[in-house]
Amino acid sequence: GAVVSQHPSRVICKSGTSVKIECRSLDFQATTMFWYRQFPKQSLMLMATSNEGSKATYEQGVEKDKFLINHASLTLSTLTVTSAHPEDSSFYICSLEHTDTQYFGPGTRLTVL
Amino acid sequence: DAKTTQPPSMDCAEGRAANLPCNHSTISGNEYVYWYRQIHSQGPQYIIHGLKNNETNEMASLIITEDRKSSTLILPHATLRDTAVYYCIVRVGGGNAGNMLTFGGGTRLMVKP
């Protein structure tokens, strides 16, 4: 399978600041990556689909100006949570598609104070 | 994508086989059955997938009924490390990178000593 890394694994920030989360494909080039969010005791919810070299596609209810996605290369997609608030505290997980299967990163735990 | 129905929780004794059922009665002919699991505070881990034939790999076996309306994931010798939430997901396969995964509630498997 594919190896996906995320950085950082855990971040704590103050309300109003911005946080950038990186998602890297370590062993192949990915034209498409996905960003999910998971609140405590809930299932994963797709936030957006990140396409290399073009604008991301956001799911209904996800603010594109708040969750900035940049897929500047075939091995890196970044999610920036702008002006973070406590309600943005969540587990953010990226994934990518390789040979009919999606592989997930280890996730980033964001806590906004 | 078709919906799936899974029991919310199951217990299994360590060393015994764990059989996790999934109903997907509205599955389409071109939709695959995928299984993932999520151990606490980690990203989902791919287990196995199939279209209509039974599949086996080093982690598990997937048994799909002839009418494809249900399937069973079998962990042949469950260990304590198999305690996780198991997700059964159906989606179109065929290498289309635009096909997202829709996560339901999954089955929380508790392996007990």
Side-chain angles (χ1 to χ4, degrees):
Chain A
V3 181
V4 184
S5 71
Q6 281 185 242
H7 178 79
S9 58
R10 186 180 297 269
V11 57
I12 300 172
C13 70
K14 292 182 178 180
S15 185
T17 61
S18 294
V19 175
K20 180 186 285 188
I21 302 170
E22 294 184 347
C23 176
R24 292 184 184 273
S25 172
L26 298 185
D27 51 3
F28 81 99
Q29 297 178 329
T31 56
T32 302
M33 294 184 178
F34 303 89
W35 285 96
Y36 293 79
R37 179 169 54 182
Q38 185 176 31
F39 292 108
K41 300 189 185 302
Q42 295 185 23
S43 192
L44 280 77
M45 292 295 292
L46 180 69
M47 297 176 67
T49 302
S50 167
N51 302 296
E52 190 268 335
S54 64
K55 291 184 178 180
T57 303
Y58 291 82
E59 295 300 300
Q60 190 173 5
V62 178
E63 300 175 57
K64 61 180 172 69
D65 294 330
K66 180 171 181 61
F67 299 98
L68 302 179
I69 292 174
N70 185 0
H71 193 156
S73 79
L74 292 173
T75 58
L76 174 64
S77 176
T78 61
L79 168 69
T80 301
V81 183
T82 63
S83 187
H85 289 97
E87 56 265 31
D88 298 322
S89 297
S90 188
F91 193 48
Y92 292 86
I93 310 166
C94 69
S95 73
L96 49 81
E97 182 92 8
H98 181 56
T99 58
D100 290 355
T101 301
Q102 274 193 35
Y103 295 92
F104 289 81
T108 296
R109 175 80 56 193
L110 171 63
T111 302
V112 184
L113 303 177
Chain B
D1 290 347
K3 279 189 165 182
T4 62
T5 304
Q6 300 177 253
S9 64
M10 290 182 62
D11 289 344
C12 177
E14 187 179 19
R16 304 296 295 271
N19 297 287
L20 292 92
C22 180
N23 286 322
H24 30 79
S25 58
T26 60
I27 192 170
S28 300
N30 62 347
E31 287 182 316
Y32 288 67
V33 180
Y34 285 80
W35 283 84
Y36 286 82
R37 72 180 183 184
Q38 186 177 25
I39 297 170
H40 183 61
S41 294
Q42 298 182 23
Q45 177 187 23
Y46 166 76
I47 301 173
I48 199 168
H49 75 283
L51 182 61
K52 54 183 179 182
N53 296 324
N54 297 336
E55 302 287 345
T56 295
N57 63 21
E58 64 279 3
M59 289 183 68
S61 295
L62 174 60
I63 308 298
I64 303 174
T65 58
E66 194 168 340
D67 63 8
R68 302 187 68 236
K69 292 184 177 182
S70 66
S71 61
T72 301
L73 178 75
I74 301 172
L75 307 178
H77 306 287
T79 71
L80 298 179
R81 287 178 294 182
D82 292 321
T83 292
V85 178
Y86 287 76
Y87 296 100
C88 168
I89 302 168
V90 295
R91 67 147 215 189
V92 175
N96 187 334
N99 292 319
M100 64 182 194
L101 295 173
T102 301
F103 285 81
T107 296
R108 184 172 299 276
L109 176 69
M110 179 74 71
V111 181
K112 298 184 174 181

